[in-house]
Amino acid sequence: MNSLPDAREIAVRSQGLGRVLTDDQARLLSVYLGLLVKWNSRMNLVGPATWTEILDTLIQDSWHLADLLQTLASQPAQTLDLGAGAGLPGIPLRVFWQQGDYYLVEPRQKRAIFMEQAVAHMKLPRTKVICARMEALPPARREAGLIVSRAFMPWQKLLVAVKSCLAPQGRVLVMSNETSADTVDGYSLEQVRDYTVAGKKRYFRLFVLGGHGF
């Protein structure tokens, strides 16, 4: 197996993980994974070193998240991905789900540059990188219908911190390895969904600002 992937290898391995990719999805993931492996060898963007490890442990989050988001009755016009880092889950998420405008927010310049290169090479529609801290986002970016974050901060603190960035009835998607029915004042828990990666369960919790629960 080559150190850098081609679309066919990615399609075959993804099918073994339970996901059938279209030719275009496999091609786009090959571009992203190829860039990520190259850049990762120089600046340690993610823990896994090979494309197979990244696919097996990280990319699956994105396609499971896309499945959840596609079921929402109201799709967000604007999504913020806070602390986007190397673009996970956001960049591969946009391979499978392309609703609205998607902003990858990352204050570290080298990581933002990597994401800009990946988005440009993949030609992802309506997907942009903002090199800034959340607190420095302009007013136009503080009306998100959805906020996504992977390990940006503990989820309880996240829900409190992002209120000023959400539109009325905006949602926050929390990714974790633990399930919980807890919530934070001002939010309702809309849904919890579990999925399995490498034999371990992971969870999405979807909160709504001022919502009425599920």
Side-chain angles (χ1 to χ4, degrees):
M1 183 176 293
N2 296 328
S3 59
L4 295 179
D6 63 31
R8 183 190 61 80
E9 288 176 315
I10 286 176
V12 170
R13 193 170 188 91
S14 296
Q15 187 167 4
L17 296 171
R19 188 77 178 195
V20 177
L21 303 180
T22 67
D23 290 345
D24 195 50
Q25 288 169 348
R27 178 186 62 80
L28 289 171
L29 288 182
S30 73
V31 173
Y32 176 65
L33 286 168
L35 287 169
L36 184 53
V37 168
K38 287 181 179 179
W39 282 63
N40 199 46
S41 66
R42 301 195 299 268
M43 57 183 293
N44 192 30
L45 290 168
V46 295
T50 66
W51 73 264
T52 54
E53 292 174 305
I54 297 169
L55 181 69
D56 291 355
T57 61
L58 298 175
I59 300 295
Q60 291 188 71
D61 289 330
S62 299
W63 67 51
H64 286 292
L65 178 53
D67 290 345
L68 184 155
L69 295 178
Q70 287 164 357
T71 68
L72 299 181
S74 59
Q75 293 289 312
Q78 179 181 158
T79 298
L80 296 179
D81 186 332
L82 299 177
L88 291 160
I91 289 179
L93 170 64
R94 296 301 277 174
V95 172
F96 302 100
W97 177 79
Q98 297 180 349
Q99 296 293 324
D101 296 315
Y102 197 98
Y103 295 93
L104 296 144
V105 182
E106 171 54 54
R108 293 167 292 184
Q109 187 176 36
K110 289 182 179 179
R111 285 166 170 76
I113 291 171
F114 165 74
M115 289 192 293
E116 287 173 347
Q117 291 289 311
V119 168
H121 278 79
M122 297 167 74
K123 297 181 172 61
L124 292 175
R126 303 177 72 177
T127 306
K128 299 177 182 179
V129 178
I130 300 176
C131 185
R133 296 180 63 83
M134 179 184 71
E135 297 82 2
L137 288 172
R141 299 285 77 80
R142 292 179 170 272
E143 299 177 351
L146 174 67
I147 289 177
V148 174
S149 180
R150 180 203 292 273
F152 179 57
M153 63 175 67
W155 68 264
Q156 296 91 340
K157 292 183 178 180
L158 175 72
L159 292 178
V160 173
V162 302
K163 282 184 177 180
S164 65
C165 295
L166 284 168
Q169 301 294 307
R171 294 178 169 98
V172 182
L173 190 286
V174 172
M175 306 171 66
S176 76
N177 294 326
E178 297 179 2
T179 185
S180 171
D182 295 339
T183 186
V184 168
D185 286 348
Y187 290 90
S188 292
L189 181 61
E190 182 176 7
Q191 81 173 269
V192 178
R193 178 173 295 192
D194 66 81
Y195 60 102
T196 301
V197 173
K200 295 182 179 180
K201 276 196 175 182
R202 297 181 182 178
Y203 298 89
F204 296 129
R205 294 200 294 276
L206 191 65
F207 295 92
V208 182
L209 182 64
H212 301 291
F214 62 91

